[in-house]
Amino acid sequence: MKKKLIAGNWKMNGSLAANEALLKSVLAGVGQAECQVAVCVPAVYLAQCQALLADSIVSLGAQDVSSHEGGAYTGEIAPAMLKEFGLRYVIVGHSERRQYHLESDEVVASKAQRALACGITPIVCVGETLAEREAGKTEEVVKRQLAAVIAINGHCISEVVVAYEPVWAIGTGLSATAEQAQQVHAVLRAQLKAATPSADRIKLLYGGSMNASNAASLLAQPDIDGGLIGGAALKAQDFLTIIAAAA
Ligand code: 13P
């Protein structure tokens, strides 16, 4: 059976001291987790977290990557630079980047492509806003976002992780219900099946106010293969409870 993936997205949180305390607590409690575990940390802390996670079962990830290979792009970080820190994952197309940095579907797709070319697994985020959901456009929006990634990545699409993160559920405490999430995951799975014979092994994560209380029911859905966790990933005990729910 496919192992689930529980990935923390720390967003713009942390400090040298806080990161060390958090990761030490997570490592003390994680044991031989039955699922895959990752933390996606702010880029400036990659070296620190790489050292703290050395020889552990917790993988390291970043939260963004440039769509360019290198050169005159002030402030950007190339995928090859991330790879030097032993990265396994990078989040691309998080709704906060689409919203605040105006990242288009095409830019997100080329970030995923650049990551794959460096041997880093992109966690591609898709999701609708509240207005889009209320207008009955959820399916149309997530399919459009995923289609751009499928179009540019061809058969490599089987190497990505997809995270469905309804924007209205992020950081609001208002998670999608397990049924709502499963419904969208089934749509995404069907779209991936039309693109690759390996669609069943692609991990589809749910993100948006997943926490210690609702994780088990979300993770029990047939097309939910893990979680992308924001706020709850900053509390070791909550993160460990979610990891245990995914076992
Ligand atoms: P919250 O878990 O804080 O809602 O954040 C979800 C998220 O955006 C993960 O990428």
Side-chain angles (χ1 to χ4, degrees):
M1 206 177 93
K2 178 167 54 175
K3 277 193 176 182
K4 293 199 190 303
L5 167 63
I6 299 298
N9 174 8
W10 289 3
K11 308 194 179 185
M12 199 170 70
N13 294 290
S15 66
L16 289 171
N19 302 343
E20 182 171 350
L22 176 56
L23 287 182
K24 282 189 169 164
S25 301
V26 168
L27 291 176
V30 75
Q32 288 303 318
E34 293 296 317
C35 63
Q36 294 173 338
V37 181
V39 287
C40 298
V41 310
V44 288
Y45 296 128
L46 285 171
Q48 180 205 17
C49 295
Q50 180 188 29
L52 287 164
L53 297 176
D55 302 321
S56 83
I57 66 153
V58 179
S59 302
L60 186 58
Q63 300 172 10
D64 186 33
V65 66
S66 178
S67 61
H68 303 284
E69 208 172 340
Y73 299 99
T74 301
E76 294 275 276
I77 299 178
M81 297 173 183
L82 295 179
K83 190 67 187 168
E84 289 199 291
F85 293 90
L87 253 80
R88 173 128 186 228
Y89 299 102
V90 62
I91 298 171
V92 299
H94 192 281
S95 61
E96 287 148 16
R97 298 217 49 95
R98 292 180 191 262
Q99 184 182 351
Y100 305 130
H101 301 269
L102 308 181
E103 290 188 7
S104 65
D105 296 338
E106 288 67 34
V107 165
V108 172
S110 62
K111 288 182 174 199
Q113 186 183 35
R114 289 274 180 221
L116 284 169
C118 274
I120 300 174
T121 300
I123 301 177
V124 180
C125 299
V126 300
E128 82 287 4
T129 63
L130 184 59
E132 288 164 340
R133 173 162 283 263
E134 286 175 349
K137 292 194 167 151
T138 299
E139 200 171 306
E140 178 189 324
V141 169
V142 298
K143 283 172 91 171
R144 188 202 72 223
Q145 292 171 332
L146 183 58
V149 183
I150 292 173
I152 198 174
N153 286 287
H155 69 274
C156 291
I157 195 67
S158 59
E159 305 303 321
V160 310
V161 170
V162 178
Y164 168 54
E165 298 208 316
V167 178
W168 47 271
I170 295 175
T172 57
L174 187 75
S175 166
T177 63
E179 294 70 28
Q180 282 173 324
Q182 166 57 28
Q183 210 169 29
V184 178
H185 280 231
V187 166
L188 297 172
R189 182 83 67 199
Q191 190 179 2
L192 290 165
K193 276 193 175 149
T196 170
S198 315
D200 279 329
R201 71 180 177 87
I202 299 177
K203 287 188 172 60
L204 300 183
L205 314 185
Y206 169 78
S209 298
M210 190 186 268
N211 58 39
S213 319
N214 62 20
S217 68
L218 285 159
L219 293 168
Q221 299 301 310
D223 287 300
I224 300 186
D225 308 311
L228 185 55
I229 325 293
L234 298 172
K235 297 176 204 141
Q237 200 45 56
D238 289 10
F239 194 51
L240 289 168
T241 303
I242 296 170
I243 291 166

